[in-house]
């Protein structure tokens, strides 16, 4: 039976006893809906832009997709780096240690958000040139990406706040914040793009303002909890904590950067194939993003579960939870894939304008083929995601970094060699190839490490964290 600790803002979940899979999946339910609402940002932008602006504008948003993905990874990996030791503190019932992590998260977020925003804004045109963005969509792509970059402080605030709240057992805030944010985004999209005809720039501004709503709601929830309160005099770095955060963050973000480089290589070559091909891949990515959001929610819950039980020194329970969660997630993925395959064409039509019949037909064919191929590989993705977060939570993020290098190689080889053998189909299987080569790299060490911990009868052998 789950343990609940009653606080000012309600009940929070401690997953150190009870049926592991049931707890992980129950904890992930609000995260699933929160992630789905977060995906609604890009889906609504895509549907509105694709239908009210045109295929070229839709391609302009899609051709910067990997850059936006890397920015989101910066948020996610930063949040995970703080969430892991924070959840360990919860498992150890160390509230003071948790509070010190919160204070250092504030310092980290302010500094990194400022530096990241300035650097990316100054190198915007260099990024677009490196991506080989076609001239006919260059201006729209630049406008969208610039507004996205200016939203970095809001994204970082939301990610760090919700990650620390999840570590403390609160998964509901993600759902509440993203629900309000998505409603805001829909209203502003309709107002700015449909009514005022602001185009791609209007959609980007709508997303930026909606991100602000999510960040404010997350901070409001933090304000209700005593552990998140601090005096200005406490805002000084704890180098022991920051060293541990850095040790966790760098391999995680290195993994993301390497994956992004592989994706950018694919994107650059893909952009050269024309805006219709790019639009088709962008439409496919919207469907994939929704399905991935479900798996990502379970992955996040599993990460909290592993970290809390690591703090409670329960390695056998960690292994049980990982196995049970993997089986349940694979079954869920199979159902989602089956349903999506059946309805993929009417869903794809939501994102592609029929104003230009030739461009529409070309983009739709690419979208259908790409969707089918990526759905076939989603079971591999699910298993890889779960084992990757588990090995990271066990304080061995270096394996995910190695997996990232292998993913880069897989993507480059698939395009460089595969495109000459199987043509454009190579662009549809790059992700599947990347997932396949990285799965054993994160899964095998995970079970070896857990077996060693169980044999030694202690979870304390994994990582030395200062809290």
């Amino acid at each position: 039976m789950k343990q609940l600790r009653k606080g000012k803002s309600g009940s929070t979940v401690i997953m150190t006893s009870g049926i592991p899979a049931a707890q992980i999946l129950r904890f992930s339910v609000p995260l699933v809906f929160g992630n789905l609402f977060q995906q609604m940002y890009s889906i609504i932008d895509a549907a509105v832009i694709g239908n009210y602006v045109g295929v070229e504008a839709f391609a302009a948003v899609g051709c910067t997709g990997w850059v936006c993905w890397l920015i989101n990874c910066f948020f996610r990996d930063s949040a995970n780096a703080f969430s892991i030791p924070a959840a360990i503190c919860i498992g150890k019932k160390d509230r003071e240690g948790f509070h010190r992590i919160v204070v250092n998260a504030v310092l980290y977020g302010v500094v990194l958000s400022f530096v990241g925003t300035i650097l990316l804004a100054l190198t915007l045109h260099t990024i677009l040139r490196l991506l080989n963005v076609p001239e006919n969509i260059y201006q729209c792509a630049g406008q969208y990406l610039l507004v996205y970059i200016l939203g970095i402080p809001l994204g970082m605030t939301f990610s760090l706040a919700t990650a620390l709240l999840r570590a403390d057992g609160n998964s509901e805030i993600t759902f509440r914040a993203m629900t309000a944010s998505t409603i805001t985004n829909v209203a502003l999209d309709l107002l700015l793009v449909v009514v005022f005809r602001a185009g791609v720039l209007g959609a980007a501004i709508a997303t930026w303002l909606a991100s602000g709503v999510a960040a404010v709601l997350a901070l409001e929830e933090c304000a209700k909890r005593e552990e998140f309160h601090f005096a200005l005099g406490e805002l000084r770095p704890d180098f022991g904590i920051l060293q541990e955060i850095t040790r966790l963050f760098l391999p995680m973000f290195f993994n993301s950067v390497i994956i992004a480089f592989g994706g950018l290589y694919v994107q650059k070559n893909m952009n050269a194939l024309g805006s219709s091909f790019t639009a088709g891949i962008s439409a496919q990515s919207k469907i994939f993003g929704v399905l991935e959001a479900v798996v990502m929610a379970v992955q996040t819950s599993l990460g909290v579960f592993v970290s809390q039980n690591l703090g409670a020194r329960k390695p056998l329970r960690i292994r049980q939870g990982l196995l049970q969660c993997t089986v349940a997630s694979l079954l869920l993925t199979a159902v989602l894939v089956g349903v999506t395959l059946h309805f993929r064409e009417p869903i794809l039509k939501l994102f592609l304008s029929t104003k230009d019949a030739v461009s529409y037909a070309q983009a739709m064919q690419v979208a259908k083929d790409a969707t089918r191929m990526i759905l076939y590989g989603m079971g591999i993705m699910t298993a890889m995601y779960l084992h990757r977060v588990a090995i990271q939570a066990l304080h061995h993020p270096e394996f995910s970094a190695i997996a990232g290098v292998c993913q880069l190689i897989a993507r480059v080889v698939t395009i460089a060699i595969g495109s000459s053998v199987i043509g454009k189909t190579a662009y549809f299987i790059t992700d599947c190839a990347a997932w396949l080569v990285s799965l054993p790299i994160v899964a095998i060490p995970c079970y070896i490490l857990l077996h060693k911990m169980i044999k030694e009868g202690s979870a304390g052998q994994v990582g030395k964290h200062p809290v």
Side-chain angles (χ1 to χ4, degrees), residues 220-351:
E220 183 182 30
E221 182 66 24
C222 291
K224 298 176 182 178
R225 295 167 178 258
E226 185 177 350
E227 293 86 351
F228 288 84
H229 294 180
F230 56 87
L232 290 178
E234 294 183 78
L235 282 175
R236 56 182 182 274
D238 184 318
F239 292 105
I241 291 177
L242 291 177
Q243 182 180 9
E244 178 66 8
I245 297 303
T246 302
R247 194 183 74 82
L248 289 168
F249 170 76
L250 288 181
M252 291 182 192
F253 192 59
F254 175 78
N255 169 62
S256 298
V257 170
I258 291 299
I259 292 173
F261 272 122
L264 290 170
Y265 174 81
V266 175
Q267 185 79 59
K268 180 180 179 179
N269 285 274
M270 187 170 62
N271 288 343
L273 297 176
S275 57
S276 294
F277 192 87
T278 302
I281 295 294
S282 297
Q284 168 261 311
S285 71
K286 302 309 174 187
I287 291 181
F288 170 71
V290 172
L291 301 181
E292 185 190 36
V294 177
V295 179
M296 291 285 286
V298 180
Q299 170 194 265
T300 301
S301 299
L302 177 63
V304 175
F305 171 86
V306 172
S307 296
Q308 286 188 355
N309 282 279
L310 183 63
R313 298 179 180 269
K314 295 183 177 181
L316 179 59
R317 179 173 171 79
I318 294 174
R319 188 174 70 178
Q320 291 172 341
L322 176 58
L323 290 170
Q324 291 176 14
C325 184
T326 300
V327 172
S329 298
L330 287 173
L331 292 174
L332 176 61
T333 299
V335 173
L336 293 174
V337 166
V339 172
T340 306
L341 279 171
H342 184 73
F343 292 104
R344 74 182 187 277
E345 186 165 351
I347 296 173
L348 289 169
K349 287 181 179 179
L350 296 173
F351 309 113

Side-chain angles (χ1 to χ4, degrees), residues 254-256 258-259 399-409 438:
F254 175 78
N255 169 62
S256 298
I258 291 299
I259 292 173
F399 289 105
S400 64
I402 296 170
V405 174
C406 292
Q407 287 196 35
L408 170 62
I409 295 171
S438 57

Side-chain angles (χ1 to χ4, degrees), residues 85-103:
I88 289 173
C89 286
I90 297 302
K92 293 169 60 179
K93 301 180 180 179
D94 180 8
R95 308 304 300 182
E96 176 58 32
F98 181 88
H99 175 73
R100 295 204 311 273
I101 291 173
V102 169
V103 171

